């Protein structure tokens, strides 16, 4: 089946300013190859500065990029192509309250997409009430302004606005940021319900591995603008292949101190893109780094069916065996 979204060797370069940098460019993303099947959720994870939001902007044509990008099998190359994808896609912003104009009430905010895309909407008030009902808010909220909303209510209004044009793809940037745990659960349940009801596909950008573990079908891990590992969520959490993925998962808070992995802790801070490390870019922080990691650049390669990783130290046979054993141990029904 043709994936809803296909990226092949997507790269993003930003021109550098200044007298001595004229004509030069700063590479932010390189060689991003991903598929998002229709009706599935792809989780995009990585530290701040890894390029997650830049990738989302490039997909929507808000950031100039190179490479091949297909939406529903059709290439995205011109302005009209990107206008089409924006009509069939939506963005949920990380700061839901800040994304709402203080000069617009809720009704105006969630029906604004109809005006932008010149779509008929019938009676504005009726359409706003329908969208609010979809996200579990009463119709009376249509008259409220952003300062009158709680964090969870602002997030639901953002979801309603994203649903206005009945999109096929929803890009959710940190959909539970700043919310209490109980409210986070409500938002995740709402997103799951809408996914089933409308056949949505999600690209979820987050630092929250506990969230992504429960909502994503597949995971893509970014480090310094490079994909370091992709694969099914259950398999990656059972046996993470790349040392960076191992470190991210090991950093999850665990109440049992016997299960904490101090040996996989990431050392230091993420390097700047102006001074990328040579060869493997993670070797300066990797607890398992060897000489080959400092000399040769690894390539993204298939390490198991449906899984890819960018690392010299992974052996396919060992990974297959460990993954199968761990999945059998965690979830016997999967065997």
């Amino acid at each position: 089946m043709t994936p809803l979204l296909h990226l092949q060797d997507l790269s993003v370069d930003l021109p550098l300013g200044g007298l001595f940098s004229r004509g030069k460019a700063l590479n932010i993303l390189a060689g991003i190859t991903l598929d998002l099947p229709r009706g599935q959720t792809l989780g995009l994870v990585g530290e701040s500065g890894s390029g997650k939001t830049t990738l989302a902007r490039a997909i929507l044509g808000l950031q100039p990029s190179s490479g091949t990008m297909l939406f529903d099998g059709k290439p995205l190359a011109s302005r009209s192509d990107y206008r089409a994808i924006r009509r069939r896609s939506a963005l949920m912003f990380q700061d839901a309250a800040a994304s709402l104009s203080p000069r617009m009430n809720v009704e105006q905010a969630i029906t604004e997409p109809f005006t932008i895309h010149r779509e008929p909407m019938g009676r504005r008030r009726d359409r706003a009430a329908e969208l609010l009902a979809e996200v579990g808010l009463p119709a009376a909220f249509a008259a409220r302004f952003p300062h009158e909303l709680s964090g969870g209510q602002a997030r639901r209004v953002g979801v309603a606005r994203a649903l206005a044009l009945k999109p096929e793809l929803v890009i959710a940037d940190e959909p539970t940021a700043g919310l209490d745990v109980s409210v986070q659960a409500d938002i995740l349940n709402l997103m799951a319900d809408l996914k089933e009801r409308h056949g949505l596909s999600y690209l979820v950008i987050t630092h929250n591995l506990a969230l992504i573990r429960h909502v994503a079908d597949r995971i893509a891990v970014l480090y310094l603008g490079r994909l370091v590992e992709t694969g099914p969520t259950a398999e990656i959490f059972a046996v993470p292949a790349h040392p960076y993925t191992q470190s991210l998962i090991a950093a999850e808070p665990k109440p049992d101190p016997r299960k904490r992995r101090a040996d996989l802790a990431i050392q230091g801070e993420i390097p700047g893109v102006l001074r990328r490390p040579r060869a493997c870019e993670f070797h300066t922080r990797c607890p398992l780094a060897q000489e080959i990691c400092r000399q040769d650049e690894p390539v993204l390669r298939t390490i198991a069916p449906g899984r890819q990783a960018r690392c010299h130290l992974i052996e396919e046979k060992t990974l297959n065996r460990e993954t199968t054993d761990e999945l059998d141990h965690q979830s016997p029904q999967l065997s």
Side-chain angles (χ1 to χ4, degrees):
M1 182 180 293
T2 302
L4 178 64
L5 180 68
H6 170 72
L7 309 179
Q8 183 70 42
D9 291 328
L10 183 74
S11 297
V12 171
D13 296 299
L14 297 180
L16 290 174
L19 179 63
F20 299 103
S21 301
R22 188 171 299 169
K24 296 182 180 180
L26 180 64
N27 180 248
I28 304 298
L29 297 173
I32 306 297
T33 298
L34 283 173
D35 282 340
L36 174 56
R38 190 180 298 276
Q40 290 195 13
T41 298
L42 174 65
L44 196 60
V45 301
E47 295 171 283
S48 296
S50 59
K52 303 185 300 297
T53 301
T54 301
L55 178 57
R57 290 172 55 84
I59 290 171
L60 294 174
L62 302 176
Q63 180 70 57
S65 62
S66 60
T68 301
M69 187 154 38
L70 304 178
F71 187 85
D72 200 14
K74 299 178 180 178
L76 298 175
S78 64
R79 281 189 173 184
S80 61
D81 295 334
Y82 281 110
R83 278 197 295 270
I85 187 179
R86 289 170 191 158
R87 172 64 179 77
R88 301 169 63 186
S89 60
L91 181 60
M92 291 169 52
F93 296 92
Q94 179 173 344
D95 191 336
S99 70
L100 300 173
S101 171
R103 296 182 177 88
M104 289 184 174
N105 62 25
V106 168
E107 177 185 302
Q108 294 168 327
I110 64 179
T111 57
E112 186 183 22
F114 292 97
T115 303
I116 294 173
H117 291 273
R118 300 177 183 177
E119 294 284 339
M121 65 177 175
R123 293 185 60 192
R124 181 186 293 267
R125 183 165 298 175
D126 292 342
R127 192 70 184 101
E130 291 173 7
L131 290 167
L132 288 172
E134 283 262 36
V135 298
L137 292 176
F141 271 69
R144 293 194 181 186
F145 283 84
H147 70 275
E148 300 176 289
L149 304 175
S150 68
Q153 291 166 351
R155 181 70 63 182
R156 289 177 182 269
V157 170
V159 175
R161 182 171 59 179
L163 291 176
L165 298 179
K166 299 181 179 179
E168 298 167 59
L169 169 65
V170 175
I171 299 177
D173 192 355
E174 295 286 359
T176 59
L179 302 178
D180 293 337
V181 174
S182 60
V183 181
Q184 289 183 22
D186 289 340
I187 296 299
L188 294 179
N189 290 335
L190 172 64
M191 291 176 62
D193 180 59
L194 294 172
K195 177 182 176 182
E196 294 297 323
R197 197 186 311 167
H198 299 290
L200 299 174
S201 302
Y202 286 119
L203 175 62
V204 178
I205 300 170
T206 185
H207 297 88
N208 190 335
L209 292 180
L211 177 154
I212 215 67
R213 184 172 194 165
H214 291 95
V215 304
D217 300 290
R218 292 181 61 83
I219 293 178
V221 184
L222 276 177
Y223 183 77
L224 274 182
R226 310 291 188 262
L227 277 177
V228 296
E229 184 168 0
T230 65
T233 302
E235 294 184 16
I236 287 182
F237 273 92
V239 181
H242 196 281
Y244 180 57
T245 313
Q246 295 172 12
S247 297
L248 290 178
I249 293 175
E252 282 189 286
K254 293 181 176 62
D256 188 347
R258 294 171 297 179
K259 295 183 178 180
R260 297 172 186 165
R261 295 290 304 275
D263 58 311
L264 293 175
I266 303 178
Q267 304 297 321
E269 297 182 0
I270 186 170
V273 293
L274 285 171
R275 296 184 178 180
R276 291 182 178 275
R278 291 181 60 253
C280 175
E281 296 176 336
F282 185 58
H283 83 263
T284 57
R285 307 173 69 201
C286 180
L288 308 176
Q290 300 180 10
E291 189 59 31
I292 188 175
C293 307
R294 302 178 182 91
Q295 300 296 328
D296 298 329
E297 182 179 354
V299 297
L300 190 67
R301 58 190 176 89
T302 299
I303 56 173
R307 294 189 63 179
Q308 292 183 309
R310 189 188 302 271
C311 183
H312 293 296
L313 308 179
I314 301 169
E315 297 210 9
E316 182 176 355
K317 292 182 180 179
T318 303
L319 179 70
N320 279 325
R321 184 171 62 253
E322 289 181 352
T323 302
T324 302
D325 292 344
E326 187 67 21
L327 285 172
D328 287 346
H329 174 72
Q330 292 184 1
S331 303
Q333 68 273 20
L334 295 178
S335 59

